[in-house]
Amino acid sequence: MHNDDICGAVKALEKAISDGTPYDVYCRCLLADFYVKTDQMNLAQAVIQEGMIASNSDYLKFAMGKILYKMKRHEESVEIIKDVLTRRPLMTDAIEYVTKNYVSMGMHSEAIQNIRHAVELSPLSEKLLSVQVTTALSAGDYMTARDGVISLLNIKKNSPDDVDNLLESFVECEFMFVEKSRDPFHISTMEKVMGNIISRYLDRTNKQMFSPEAFKTVCDARVALIRGEINKGKKKLYQVLTQINDDTKEISGSIKMGIYSGLISLGEYEVADQVAKTMNRPEANDISGLILGSCIAQNNTEETERRTKYQELNSQGISKYTEGNLEEALSLFKEAIRKVPGNSNALLNKIQVLIDMTEFQLKKGIPDAKKKARSLVMECSSDLDLLDGIRLSDVQAERAQQLRKDFFTLQKKATGK
């Protein structure tokens, strides 16, 4: 086993069982685990069933329950494990597997109730707290998930890297709750909640990589987005993103995760994809890695439809613009922006159409056309102001610069200023 020689371990266990070892139950449970790992479910069942004929061991029954769970026979698994729990109510691993079965069966309330019970029995178990968080996330119970993260923070407070990642996990749970509930009280107190959690664990973070100021700015940006203050939130996010791009020092992955989530909420999908490429996510078997993975998956699931619709509208707008149908293109770009108010590409596309429409109106040379042109210029000016303080990509910045030049030229023609 120390050399990862599964075949050798299986042969040794099979021989020990056939020789009549006094540790028969233990060997059978261990052998069944090896069979499950190699997808030999029939053999796993057989070795446990054979043992159950000779012994009424709860450990063998629990092993059978785990095998049935792996075989997706969830109701049978729950029945046999619950029987074990009537005699061994403190067997937290058994409670965990009942929880997993309930999740697989879609019985989320029962799953959360079970895992909470297990955590009450073993409040310092990192494994059980991790299951509580991921189970609650899958059920959309973000407050229970957040409570589990707080418990993990208290346990892992002497591990700076874990604290960094768990702080971000706390923030993700908090934001997902607010985005789902839209609870006015919660929204109004979010800045205070974030400030309290940061100050409480400030001295526990990895000071070489974790910037409390950057973390707080990202949190403030996302609070602004929740409140509908799109431009304020966008500028704060790009403020931190600019600092990261200009700083040669490596920044904490938890802060990058916050920026990524903020950009996704904002609708800046192209920039978010670039940030994602620089993120070194925690190991999948790490507790904070599991939590952040669940948060990312949840966010991606909820954002997929919005992102797809935005891409469709933006693409259709570009097609109409290419065909010369400016009114239809403008309508489509406006609809895309309504879907994702903070997306810079859609905004640049809208500004381009407004400039072209202004130019077309000015060429008419009639009073009504000039009045229409002035209205378009005002709308274009407001949109260009939204780009102030935003660090665009090189391509976007070059395009924005050209659009500003075209705008100022047309503005003089339309207003005489």
Side-chain angles (χ1 to χ4, degrees):
M1 289 171 64
H2 289 297
N3 298 320
D4 293 326
D5 182 5
I6 292 179
C7 290
V10 166
K11 288 179 181 178
L13 287 167
E14 288 174 340
K15 185 176 186 305
I17 292 169
S18 66
D19 289 347
T21 173
Y23 305 105
D24 182 81
V25 170
Y26 174 77
C27 288
R28 287 181 184 279
C29 291
L30 193 56
L31 181 57
D33 283 342
F34 281 125
Y35 283 148
V36 169
K37 285 179 182 177
T38 54
D39 203 28
Q40 300 180 78
M41 296 301 180
N42 290 335
L43 287 177
Q45 269 191 295
V47 75
I48 296 299
Q49 285 172 340
E50 187 180 280
M52 289 170 67
I53 293 171
S55 170
N56 196 31
S57 167
D58 283 330
Y59 293 102
L60 287 172
K61 290 181 179 179
F62 176 48
M64 179 59 74
K66 290 194 292 182
I67 294 167
L68 292 170
Y69 166 76
K70 290 289 186 181
M71 297 174 71
K72 304 187 187 306
R73 291 162 59 179
H74 301 298
E75 291 183 1
E76 295 173 71
S77 177
V78 168
E79 184 179 356
I80 194 170
I81 297 175
K82 278 194 167 184
D83 176 61
V84 171
L85 286 169
T86 59
R87 292 177 296 280
R88 297 182 180 272
L90 301 181
M91 196 172 183
T92 54
D93 283 353
I95 300 174
E96 178 192 346
Y97 265 88
V98 171
T99 301
K100 288 180 176 181
N101 275 297
Y102 280 146
V103 170
S104 298
M105 295 162 71
M107 300 170 66
H108 295 294
S109 296
E110 291 83 353
I112 290 172
Q113 185 179 348
N114 261 278
I115 196 62
R116 275 180 169 168
H117 176 52
V119 169
E120 286 172 3
L121 296 174
S122 184
L124 298 181
S125 169
E126 295 177 22
K127 179 183 177 183
L128 290 177
L129 284 167
S130 178
V131 173
Q132 174 182 318
V133 174
T134 53
T135 300
L137 285 173
S138 68
D141 186 348
Y142 303 119
M143 283 295 93
T144 297
R146 188 199 68 173
D147 292 345
V149 172
I150 291 174
S151 296
L152 283 167
L153 269 168
N154 289 329
I155 293 171
K156 307 282 281 185
K157 61 187 177 184
N158 292 320
S159 174
D161 289 335
D162 285 318
V163 169
D164 293 357
N165 290 321
L166 287 168
L167 275 175
E168 179 55 32
S169 299
F170 171 89
V171 169
E172 291 304 321
C173 292
E174 186 76 16
F175 275 106
M176 285 194 288
F177 169 76
V178 172
E179 286 172 359
K180 180 181 178 182
S181 68
R182 306 304 302 180
D183 177 57
F185 174 76
H186 230 84
I187 292 173
S188 67
T189 60
M190 283 192 77
E191 282 180 325
K192 183 178 179 180
V193 170
M194 298 302 168
N196 287 343
I197 200 75
I198 292 169
S199 61
R200 190 185 309 169
Y201 293 99
L202 177 62
D203 293 335
R204 307 283 185 175
T205 58
N206 184 338
K207 293 179 175 57
Q208 292 183 327
M209 298 176 65
F210 186 88
S211 166
E213 294 79 12
F215 187 76
K216 187 175 187 308
T217 301
V218 172
C219 290
D220 290 346
R222 295 179 66 187
V223 171
L225 294 179
I226 287 283
R227 292 174 175 170
E229 300 167 347
I230 303 300
N231 205 38
K232 178 182 176 181
K234 186 173 183 177
K235 286 183 177 180
K236 283 182 174 290
L237 276 178
Y238 274 91
Q239 174 188 330
V240 179
L241 193 57
T242 299
Q243 291 172 359
I244 290 174
N245 290 335
D246 291 344
D247 199 341
T248 56
K249 186 175 69 173
E250 180 63 27
I251 196 77
S252 170
S254 61
I255 293 176
K256 290 183 180 179
M257 173 65 196
I259 294 171
Y260 169 81
S261 296
L263 289 169
I264 290 292
S265 297
L266 190 62
E268 286 281 44
Y269 301 116
E270 297 85 358
V271 185
D273 289 342
Q274 292 301 313
V275 172
K277 292 177 182 177
T278 70
M279 288 164 55
N280 295 319
R281 295 177 187 171
E283 296 295 327
N285 60 350
D286 177 70
I287 289 174
S288 52
L290 286 168
I291 296 168
L292 285 176
S294 295
C295 292
I296 292 168
Q298 192 77 18
N299 281 333
N300 287 347
T301 299
E302 293 173 355
E303 282 291 334
T304 298
E305 184 178 348
R306 191 168 76 119
R307 181 172 187 170
T308 300
K309 188 62 179 174
Y310 147 72
Q311 289 173 333
E312 287 176 2
L313 290 166
N314 197 47
S315 179
Q316 289 169 8
I318 292 170
S319 296
K320 292 297 180 184
Y321 176 79
T322 304
E323 294 167 6
N325 297 327
L326 299 183
E327 291 283 357
E328 290 184 54
L330 181 61
S331 177
L332 287 162
F333 289 137
K334 283 183 175 180
E335 185 61 28
I337 290 169
R338 272 192 286 271
K339 288 288 180 186
V340 283
N343 188 276
S344 298
N345 277 334
L347 186 62
L348 288 169
N349 289 339
K350 182 192 171 191
I351 292 169
Q352 179 70 72
V353 175
L354 289 171
I355 287 174
D356 286 9
M357 290 177 71
T358 302
E359 192 171 16
F360 176 75
Q361 293 295 329
L362 289 173
K363 284 180 179 178
K364 288 183 178 180
I366 57 177
D368 284 348
K370 199 160 188 178
K371 183 179 178 181
K372 173 69 172 174
R374 284 196 291 270
S375 175
L376 291 167
V377 162
M378 289 178 64
E379 186 175 355
C380 191
S381 177
S382 296
D383 286 345
L384 283 167
D385 287 344
L386 295 176
L387 296 173
D388 290 342
I390 305 299
R391 178 164 176 168
L392 302 170
S393 67
D394 291 342
V395 173
Q396 289 175 330
E398 185 178 345
R399 186 182 178 196
Q401 185 179 17
Q402 184 59 52
L403 288 173
R404 286 184 189 278
K405 287 181 181 178
D406 295 342
F407 166 75
F408 289 132
T409 301
L410 290 173
Q411 185 183 42
K412 288 179 182 178
K413 291 181 181 180
T415 64
K417 297 179 182 179

